[in-house]
Amino acid sequence: MGKRYFCDYCDRSFQDNLHNRKKHLNGVQHLRAKRLWYDLFRDAAAILQEEQTKKPCRKFLQTGQCDFGSNCRFSHMTEQDLEKLSAQVQGEQRSKELRQEGADVPPGAIEDWLEKRAKRLSTAQSNSALPEKPAPFQYPPGWPPVQDLPPSLQAPPAGGWPVPPNLQWG
């Protein structure tokens, strides 16, 4: 049957020869799928710049659908979408500037969380003055009797597993 070529962009395979591969790689469907794949990794600033230069799509604004879909040369973003995107771009720029200035972590991220966690744990410990007893081990309902279980599923003995003298692992 011969070798087959699988295109990850198009999720298709075909017989691998020079003619078929050239035909596929220059095809409209492949070029669209490839562009869609790389558009997933574009930064927000590039998307915002491109969308601001486009005129709004009248059909998309009126009906919420466009026959051209992602291939439409007009913008399918509303004013709210553009505002959200510009806010995201500004946030990314601020974090980039902070990293360039030498601030490793934006203020109030990890340190605040650790402090809140420590407070929560300390209040939980102070509220429970009585030491908690561990719950006794119980097998799940519907399991067979204990004597029928393999050793790996049986509960450990009360004092722990006995360790033979001179035991060496490995």
Side-chain angles (χ1 to χ4, degrees):
M1 185 163 146
K3 292 184 178 181
R4 297 198 59 81
Y5 177 80
F6 182 77
C7 178
D8 290 318
Y9 300 116
C10 303
D11 198 28
R12 294 182 62 200
S13 67
F14 50 88
Q15 187 177 3
D16 189 20
N17 60 40
L18 183 64
H19 174 73
N20 288 349
R21 192 182 291 204
K22 274 188 178 181
K23 187 176 177 183
H24 175 76
L25 294 178
N26 293 326
V28 175
Q29 182 181 7
H30 174 77
L31 295 175
R32 282 183 186 160
K34 184 177 168 184
R35 187 186 64 186
L36 285 174
W37 173 256
Y38 282 106
D39 283 349
L40 292 174
F41 304 104
R42 287 183 23 202
D43 61 331
I47 295 172
L48 179 65
Q49 183 181 10
E50 182 182 324
E51 290 297 324
Q52 285 177 336
T53 59
K54 293 180 179 179
K55 293 180 181 178
C57 179
R58 281 188 276 163
K59 177 131 181 169
F60 186 78
L61 291 177
Q62 289 172 354
T63 64
Q65 292 180 338
C66 177
D67 296 335
F68 295 101
S70 61
N71 298 321
C72 185
R73 66 180 184 171
F74 298 105
S75 175
H76 289 177
M77 288 195 159
T78 62
E79 290 296 323
Q80 293 85 9
D81 293 338
L82 289 173
E83 289 172 7
K84 287 179 187 176
L85 194 57
S86 64
Q88 181 182 351
V89 168
Q90 290 172 356
E92 288 176 359
Q93 288 174 347
R94 272 190 240 115
S95 64
K96 187 177 180 181
E97 290 169 0
L98 285 174
R99 275 187 261 125
Q100 288 176 349
E101 291 174 1
D104 293 337
V105 179
I110 296 174
E111 292 83 9
D112 288 344
W113 181 84
L114 287 172
E115 288 176 19
K116 289 178 185 177
R117 180 177 178 264
K119 287 178 186 176
R120 189 173 58 238
L121 289 176
S122 65
T123 56
Q125 289 175 353
S126 64
N127 289 345
S128 61
L130 300 173
E132 294 182 21
K133 291 184 180 178
F137 181 81
Q138 294 181 350
Y139 288 102
W143 276 35
V146 176
Q147 61 272 12
D148 293 344
L149 289 174
S152 61
L153 295 178
Q154 293 180 2
W161 298 107
V163 179
N166 300 330
L167 178 69
Q168 292 183 0
W169 292 93

